[in-house]
Structures are given as C-alpha cells and as structure tokens.
Amino acid sequence: MEATVTTANNEEKTWGGGNEPLGASYGKMMMWYFIVSDALTFSGFLAAYGFSRFKFIETWPLADEVFNHFPFMHGVSAPMYYVALMTFILIFSSVTMVLAVDAGHQMKKSKVAIYMFLTIIGGLIFVGSQAWEWKNFIKGEYGAIETKGGSLLQFVDKDGKRVALADFAVKLPEGREALTRDKGKWFMSDAETLPTYSVAEVQAGFKAHPELLVRTEKLTEKKQKTILTREESEARLSQAHYVVEGANLTRNEYGNKLFADFFFFITGFHGFHVISGIIINIIVFFNVLLGTYEKRKSYEMVEKVGLYWHFVDLVWVFVFTVFYLV
C-alpha cells in the first residue's frame, strides 16, 4: 500500500485553503481571533452591568434625565438626541469603511483614500462627542444631596420639574475651606474638591422656598422618581450628609453609584477601542497614499482594519442599547 507524504512543496491545499484555513489569510484569522476574544470581554462587562441594574432596579437612573443635553442648546431638554446623532455618525463611518474595502478589491487607490479619510473623520467626531458627553456627565446640571444612609435626594418644584441647587441654595459664612499648600506647615490636600454649596446652605435655601419638594431615587410603578410631601421632604433633608454635584467614581447625582462606575468603565473602554481604530486607520490611510498596497497588489490590510472597525461599531450598538434605550 502506498502512503501519501505531504511536504512543504506539496501544492495540495490544507483544509481546502492552501495554508489558509477556511480560505482566510493568516492576518485575517488572527484578526478574527482577536475580535472573538474582545467580544467575550465586552460580553462580560455588559453582563455585569445587567446584573447590577437588575439588582438595584428601583434606584437606577433614568437615561432620559441623564443624557438630555445637546451642544449649543443649553437649558433645552433633548433626551437621547445627541446620543442618537453620535450613533448615526459611527454607523455611517462603518459604511464608508465598507466602501473603502470594496474600492480596495477593485484596486482603486484614490477611492480607498477618500473613504478611509471619511471613516477617520467619523471616528474623530464620535470620540469628540463622547468626550463632550463625559464632560456634562461629570459636571452635572442640578446637584443633589446624599443622606447619612447613602440615599440620594433631588429637588423639584410643585409641578415635579427638577430644580438646581443654584436656584435656591443660600450663601452662608464659610465654615470650611479646601486645604492648600500655603495653609499649613504640613500640607495634605483634600481628597475631594469641595462642592459649590454646603449642606447647611442647601437646607437653609430649602426652608426659604416652601414650594420645593424632595424627590428620592426610588422608582414608582410608573417608572418615575418618588416625590415626597413637604413634611417628608424636611424630615429626609435633615439627614443630609453631603452635597453631590455631577458624577464620579465615588458619588453620582443621577442615582445609583454603580451606574456611573459602569458608564465610565464600559464607554471608556469602548472609546479606547475607537481611538485605537482611528490611529490604525490613519496609518493605513498614509500607506494608501504612499502606494504601499498598490505595490503589494493587495489591499488586504484595509480589509483587516475594516473588520476591527465594524466590530467596534457593533459593540457600540449593544452599549447604546443597554445604557440609553433599555
């Protein structure tokens, strides 16, 4: 019986791909391996977010109240408008990437360069928009009070509309000031920046405005925050411990602290991927201009970068769904 011997020079195809399993080049296979492993990472993050939200569903912030800003429209409530625009821009950049890959298959250098450039612009706009959104999220708009028990108290008028601390808090003589280097021989800076108003100033302002009420972070059956009576509001406000302005990894004026932690971590991790994709796209873009892929007679590098960019877009669809829509 004759034995079949396979050598390095054998032209017989391995797995039907000729050292290219499933018909994919080594570079494409490695990109797919990376995408699968990264997808598992994002899946773990989103699963943890879903578990935490389910556990603390009664105190979870309402997305329509958190993400309601739009550039150059200060004071106008536009829930989800800007986030929707960001999402459209990122998805459109995925379309231009598809066109760049298609142009590469046709060996049309100029079209590849144009579509790659548009993809880069779309990515930059998205990252800039995300940074703007972070700024508003961190800064906050209304402010709130954290009680000694860790509950969050927000303020509304008789119609249930949110009222900012700046609209009613009074200025009292300073009882505490932030430590600075020139205030003592042994210098130790404050771990946190002092809020604009003290607890006493908020309490005094609340007493001077009888039309104000306190709204707790607990949701009702109608998915609205619970509004207390004036007497209940005064009783809860007497337990005030700290003034919260905006959101950070320690406190969150919008509701449950975990919401801010997950928001910073997951959107930040996705933003890091987008920035990485932009940098890689810029490198490939200049290689296109230099004719590198024309000399190789293959634009496969554009296709591999395109796989990564589509993955980043797809991940954002899931992030957008769990943070903004659900």
Side-chain angles (χ1 to χ4, degrees):
M1 180 179 292
E2 294 182 359
T4 301
V5 180
T6 302
T7 65
N9 296 323
N10 197 328
E11 295 182 358
E12 185 177 350
K13 294 185 177 182
T14 306
W15 295 2
N19 293 325
E20 293 184 356
L22 306 179
S25 66
Y26 178 80
K28 285 185 185 178
M29 286 294 292
M30 292 303 102
M31 179 58 75
W32 276 112
Y33 279 131
F34 170 77
I35 288 174
V36 171
S37 63
D38 216 26
L40 292 175
T41 303
F42 273 106
S43 297
F45 293 157
L46 294 177
Y49 170 85
F51 174 80
S52 299
R53 177 171 179 169
F54 178 78
K55 184 176 181 180
F56 302 104
I57 188 64
E58 291 185 346
T59 60
W60 210 252
L62 298 173
D64 286 348
E65 294 185 355
V66 179
F67 310 106
N68 61 350
H69 302 88
F70 202 93
F72 311 111
M73 293 174 60
H74 182 70
V76 177
S77 180
M80 302 301 175
Y81 289 7
Y82 195 56
V83 179
L85 178 60
M86 289 168 51
T87 303
F88 172 78
I89 292 172
L90 191 63
I91 292 176
F92 186 77
S93 72
S94 196
V95 174
T96 56
M97 178 58 81
V98 169
L99 295 175
V101 172
D102 182 66
H105 288 160
Q106 300 177 40
M107 301 298 292
K108 295 181 179 178
K109 174 184 172 181
S110 59
K111 285 191 174 182
V112 174
I114 292 172
Y115 291 131
M116 286 292 295
F117 179 75
L118 292 176
T119 302
I120 293 168
I121 295 300
L124 289 173
I125 293 175
F126 177 83
V127 171
S129 300
Q130 199 169 46
W132 183 85
E133 187 182 53
W134 269 44
K135 177 186 73 69
N136 286 283
F137 185 72
I138 293 171
K139 182 181 178 182
E141 182 177 4
Y142 294 101
I145 287 290
E146 184 179 297
T147 66
K148 296 177 182 178
S151 300
L152 198 71
L153 306 179
Q154 300 169 338
F155 299 92
V156 296
D157 59 18
K158 60 182 180 180
D159 298 322
K161 295 182 180 179
R162 289 286 303 276
V163 177
L165 299 182
D167 294 335
F168 68 89
V170 298
K171 276 293 183 180
L172 298 176
E174 291 292 336
R176 179 186 173 220
E177 57 183 340
L179 292 176
T180 55
R181 190 174 296 276
D182 60 347
K183 290 295 192 303
K185 184 174 182 180
W186 297 99
F187 172 74
M188 181 180 65
S189 63
D190 277 341
E192 298 179 340
T193 303
L194 290 180
T196 307
Y197 304 99
S198 66
V199 171
E201 290 174 335
V202 174
Q203 291 173 330
F206 184 80
K207 290 181 180 179
H209 292 77
E211 75 280 3
L212 296 181
L213 298 173
V214 163
R215 188 179 79 165
T216 68
E217 57 185 337
K218 188 174 182 179
L219 295 175
T220 64
E221 294 180 354
K222 296 182 179 180
K223 302 299 181 181
Q224 296 177 343
K225 298 294 182 70
T226 303
I227 299 177
L228 306 179
T229 64
R230 180 68 185 187
E231 293 73 19
E232 293 173 332
S233 299
E234 292 177 349
R236 290 296 297 275
L237 194 57
S238 65
Q239 303 172 6
H241 172 64
Y242 193 87
V243 176
V244 183
E245 294 176 309
N248 50 51
L249 297 177
T250 305
R251 293 181 170 88
N252 176 17
E253 78 165 43
Y254 308 101
N256 195 288
K257 302 173 185 177
L258 282 176
F259 177 84
D261 296 341
F262 278 112
F263 177 79
F264 287 127
F265 191 80
I266 294 179
T267 62
F269 192 57
H270 177 266
F272 170 76
H273 279 70
V274 177
I275 293 173
S276 300
I278 292 172
I279 294 173
I280 297 171
N281 279 336
I282 291 174
I283 295 173
V284 172
F285 171 71
F286 280 110
N287 274 310
V288 171
L289 295 181
L290 293 173
T292 302
Y293 309 121
E294 283 285 322
K295 297 174 184 177
R296 295 180 185 176
K297 300 187 182 303
S298 173
Y299 279 86
E300 184 179 300
M301 183 59 71
V302 176
E303 189 171 353
K304 288 186 285 188
V305 173
L307 288 174
Y308 175 80
W309 194 255
H310 298 323
F311 167 72
V312 170
D313 287 4
L314 181 61
V315 168
W316 177 252
V317 172
F318 287 98
V319 174
F320 174 75
T321 300
V322 300
F323 269 105
Y324 303 95
L325 296 184
V326 178

